[in-house]
């Protein structure tokens, strides 16, 4: 099974009846799959120090985006006249961070600069979440390479130009990154 370009272990569940039902409802050929773990930790990408523990998520269990990053992306979409604006749920994050920082407008000069000012989560190494009695520490694992799924509006199913807009300023070594993975 391949998830976002990564080969994963899994089993097909429900057979052809379930596959036909999901395919007819979703409008694409698909199957119901369950993560396979043969009773222990398995290697991922051939590396012994990057163990697959998270089933079908990418590099880590927590995806963080900032509202500032969403706002800047929307200014790019608006500046290009590409229509539908996005919300955090287009990216399926676990945590959305709000701050008092302004994302600004998407000028050509800003798109060419380092994007830390428009995507602050790119530079975060750790996040501390304090409760009344305890605290949780999350450590950055890496950037989230995006695929065409971010183009699909979660409410309407209509296709937009989100990935195209991100490609204007978020392309890095063949990947279009948006959001940061954390584990803890």
């Amino acid at each position: 099974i391949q998830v976002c370009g990564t080969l994963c272990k899994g089993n097909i569940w429900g057979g052809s009846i379930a596959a036909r039902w999901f395919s007819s409802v979703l409008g694409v050929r698909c199957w119901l799959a369950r993560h396979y773990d043969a009773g222990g930790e398995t290697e991922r990408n051939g590396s012994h120090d990057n163990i697959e523990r998270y089933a079908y998520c990418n590099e880590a269990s927590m995806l963080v985006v900032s509202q500032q990053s969403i706002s800047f992306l929307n200014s790019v979409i608006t500046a290009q006249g590409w229509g539908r604006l996005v919300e955090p749920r287009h990216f399926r994050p676990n945590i959305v961070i709000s701050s008092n920082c302004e994302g600004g407008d998407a000028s050509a000069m800003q798109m060419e600069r380092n994007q830390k000012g428009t995507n602050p989560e790119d530079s975060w190494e750790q996040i501390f979440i304090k409760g009344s009695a305890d605290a949780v520490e999350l450590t950055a694992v890496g950037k989230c390479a995006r695929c065409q799924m971010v183009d699909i509006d979660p409410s309407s199913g209509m296709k937009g130009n989100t990935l195209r807009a991100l490609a204007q300023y978020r392309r890095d070594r063949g990947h279009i990154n948006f959001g940061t993975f954390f584990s803890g």
Side-chain angles (χ1 to χ4, degrees), residues 1-8 44-45 58-59 145 147-148 175:
I1 296 172
Q2 195 169 7
V3 178
C4 294
T6 301
L7 201 55
C8 302
R44 182 178 182 138
N45 297 333
N58 292 18
E59 284 84 20
C147 66
Q148 67 272 15
H175 297 285

Side-chain angles (χ1 to χ4, degrees), residues 131-146:
S132 58
D134 256 340
V136 174
E137 179 181 337
L138 301 174
T139 303
V141 176
K143 295 177 183 174
C144 181
R146 304 320 300 222

Side-chain angles (χ1 to χ4, degrees), residues 33-84:
R34 181 174 180 173
H35 180 256
Y36 173 74
D37 184 358
E41 295 179 348
T42 55
E43 292 180 43
R44 182 178 182 138
N45 297 333
S47 170
H48 291 283
D49 45 344
N50 190 9
I51 302 296
E52 181 180 304
R53 296 178 211 141
Y54 305 110
Y56 293 130
C57 67
N58 292 18
E59 284 84 20
S61 56
M62 301 296 280
L63 175 61
V64 175
V65 299
S66 68
Q67 186 58 53
Q68 184 175 343
S69 299
I70 299 292
S71 296
F72 187 81
L73 172 58
N74 280 329
S75 71
V76 171
I77 292 170
T78 300
Q80 298 295 334
W82 287 334
R84 299 179 192 273

Side-chain angles (χ1 to χ4, degrees), residues 6-20:
T6 301
L7 201 55
C8 302
K9 295 180 180 182
N11 294 320
I12 302 299
W13 281 56
S16 62
I17 293 171
R20 277 194 304 274

Side-chain angles (χ1 to χ4, degrees), residues 113-132:
R113 279 192 284 150
N114 185 331
Q115 294 303 312
K116 287 182 184 173
T118 57
N119 293 75
E121 63 271 26
D122 287 352
S123 63
W124 298 342
E125 294 178 13
Q126 293 179 316
I127 296 175
F128 297 94
I129 303 171
K130 288 187 173 186
S132 58

